[in-house]
């Protein structure tokens, strides 16, 4: 195992120290329990948006903490759910008196721990709501969850709801908006190589040099099928077709297209794939109005990519365009 680390047991803690030093104007970091929150929190009268999950998916979620997005994020150990006390500590730090919305990816540990945290926070007379995202169309059930997994669509959810909260939307509207995004976003990914979790020390699965895994999860879970390598045109089509069929998306739909690297895929390949996706969508009469390309929801050093489509309307497009200032996403400010 070749990684730029000291001790596998201290990877997340040391990374949080580095993150705090890298972004002192944006973030505050607490290491026990581990919480990242925006430097100006709590913002009085504003709904607090909190998310979290296992480390190893950076910049999700800590990289999305800041103005116009998350108020706080709770990083667990690598590929491990954060604990209820982390979520409770995050709520304590960022609750501005207008309620708390928890955004949770659909993994069994995340769901259970955030539910427990919501009960604990609610005991302090805080209005807490929870929205679970399950945008992955690959498989119904996996090693980590019952039902569909929450994957790259989580970023779009956090950005849009975070923008609404920043503009002063109340908790009811933030919750309704979150559910609207969940209903209209779909994702699918593939892996060309496995990743290696530091405390495990060996690849999470095996792939031959001439194989790829379609429908992989962000923790290295198995996908729909293992296939022989194909040209990029075919790979992108195999990602897009199930996504389009699932909602379903149709000619005339306005969409946000998010082409995401799983961590090890270089931008030259990612832009190539994005161009193919745009062409395929245009051929189907689907209008790409907004775009995001880059390594935003990763799986350590895994080579691979995912494609996410969000069906847009004027409300969602305006909130996506709204100013944001985080470590990983910045525009309009």
């Amino acid at each position: 195992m070749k990684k730029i680390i000291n001790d596998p047991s201290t990877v997340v803690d040391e990374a949080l120290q580095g993150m705090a030093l890298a972004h002192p104007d944006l973030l505050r970091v607490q290491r026990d329990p581990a919480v990242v929150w925006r430097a100006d929190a709590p913002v009085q009268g504003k709904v607090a948006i909190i998310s979290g999950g296992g480390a190893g998916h950076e910049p999700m979620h800590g990289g999305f903490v800041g103005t116009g997005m998350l108020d706080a994020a709770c990083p667990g150990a690598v590929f491990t759910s954060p604990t209820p006390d982390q979520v409770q500590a995050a709520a304590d730090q960022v609750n501005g008196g207008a309620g708390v919305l928890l955004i949770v990816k659909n993994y069994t540990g995340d769901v259970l721990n955030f539910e427990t945290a919501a009960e604990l926070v609610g005991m302090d007379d805080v209005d807490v709501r929870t929205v679970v995202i399950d945008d992955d169309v690959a498989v119904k059930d996996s090693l980590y969850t019952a039902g569909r997994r929450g994957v790259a669509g989580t970023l779009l959810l956090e950005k849009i709801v975070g923008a609404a909260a920043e503009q002063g939307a109340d908790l009811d509207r933030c919750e309704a908006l979150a559910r609207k995004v969940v209903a209209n976003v779909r994702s699918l990914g593939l892996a060309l190589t496995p990743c290696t979790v530091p405390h495990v020390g060996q690849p999470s699965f095996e792939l031959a040099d001439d194989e790829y895994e379609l429908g992989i999860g962000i923790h290295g879970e198995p996908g729909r099928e293992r296939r022989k390598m194909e040209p990029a045109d075919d790979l992108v089509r195999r990602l897009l077709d199930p996504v389009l069929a699932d909602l379903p998306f149709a000619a005339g739909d306005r969409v946000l297209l998010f082409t995401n690297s799983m961590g090890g895929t270089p931008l030259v390949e990612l832009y190539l794939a994005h161009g193919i996706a745009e062409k395929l969508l245009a051929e189907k009469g689907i209008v790409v109005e907004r775009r995001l390309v880059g390594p935003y929801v990763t799986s350590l050093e895994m080579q691979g990519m995912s494609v996410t489509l969000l069906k847009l309307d004027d409300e969602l497009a305006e909130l996506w365009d709204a100013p944001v200032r985080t470590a990983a996403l910045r525009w309009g400010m």
Side-chain angles (χ1 to χ4, degrees):
M1 181 177 68
K2 289 183 179 179
K3 289 183 178 291
I4 302 173
I5 63 174
N6 291 312
D7 183 335
S9 66
T10 62
V11 166
V12 176
D13 184 69
E14 292 185 72
L16 288 174
Q17 293 178 54
M19 188 177 194
L21 292 169
H23 305 287
D25 57 328
L26 293 176
L27 305 173
R28 298 292 179 266
V29 176
Q30 173 180 294
R31 290 159 53 197
D32 187 17
V35 179
V36 180
W37 67 90
R38 54 190 280 179
D40 60 348
V43 180
Q44 295 302 316
K46 176 188 174 299
V47 174
I49 311 298
I50 300 174
S51 191
H57 306 303
E58 286 74 18
M60 190 176 72
H61 295 274
F64 304 137
V65 172
T67 305
M69 210 159 173
L70 293 177
D71 291 271
C74 307
V78 174
F79 294 175
T80 303
S81 303
T83 58
D85 67 309
Q86 288 179 257
V87 183
Q88 184 179 24
D92 290 343
Q93 289 286 355
V94 302
N95 176 26
V100 174
L101 180 67
L102 304 178
I103 294 176
V104 186
K105 300 187 303 302
N106 189 37
Y107 297 94
T108 302
D110 290 50
V111 171
L112 291 175
N113 288 346
F114 273 87
E115 284 179 351
T116 300
E119 294 174 2
L120 294 172
V121 175
M123 291 172 64
D124 293 329
D125 294 324
V126 178
D127 192 352
V128 185
R129 313 283 177 85
T130 300
V131 173
V132 177
I133 181 165
D134 56 354
D135 54 307
D136 188 3
V137 306
V139 291
K140 180 180 178 182
D141 300 301
S142 76
L143 299 176
Y144 286 72
T145 191
R148 292 182 169 185
R149 304 174 291 217
V151 287
T154 310
L155 181 159
L156 311 187
L157 172 59
E158 292 172 353
K159 169 61 182 79
I160 288 168
V161 177
E166 199 71 44
Q167 293 172 6
D170 64 17
L171 187 56
D172 286 338
R173 181 173 178 235
C174 287
E175 181 184 16
L177 186 62
R179 299 194 186 283
K180 177 179 176 180
V181 173
V182 170
N184 286 281
V185 66
R186 301 290 188 272
S187 301
L188 186 62
L190 61 82
L192 306 183
T193 66
C195 60
T196 298
V197 176
H199 63 265
V200 175
Q202 59 187 21
S204 53
F205 58 94
E206 293 184 3
L207 271 176
D209 289 343
D210 63 345
E211 292 180 329
Y212 73 95
E213 183 90 15
L214 178 65
I216 196 74
I218 57 175
H219 307 94
E221 310 98 305
R224 285 187 169 197
E225 58 180 324
R226 186 161 295 188
R227 303 183 59 89
K228 296 295 184 182
M229 274 301 297
E230 299 174 290
D233 287 335
D234 296 318
L235 293 176
V236 175
R237 186 176 291 106
R238 290 195 189 280
L239 290 176
L240 267 182
D241 285 350
V243 168
L244 292 170
D246 194 87
L247 194 59
F249 293 85
D253 282 345
R254 306 157 57 193
V255 301
L256 187 162
L257 169 61
F258 173 25
T259 308
N260 176 63
S261 165
M262 300 304 294
T265 298
L267 279 171
V268 65
E269 296 177 25
L270 203 63
Y271 280 125
L272 184 154
H274 180 85
I276 295 168
E278 291 238 10
K279 176 184 175 183
L280 292 174
L281 291 170
E283 290 173 354
K284 296 178 181 297
I286 295 170
V287 183
V288 179
E289 290 193 353
R290 302 292 187 275
R291 300 151 177 92
L292 185 67
V293 182
Y296 291 105
V297 181
T298 65
S299 184
L300 295 170
E301 79 282 17
M302 180 186 289
Q303 291 185 27
M305 62 172 290
S306 63
V307 168
T308 298
L309 284 182
L310 170 65
K311 186 180 291 189
L312 289 175
D313 58 16
D314 289 342
E315 178 185 41
L316 297 183
E318 289 171 7
L319 289 169
W320 178 258
D321 291 342
V324 61
R325 185 168 182 263
T326 70
L329 282 186
R330 297 192 191 196
W331 56 72
M333 300 185 77

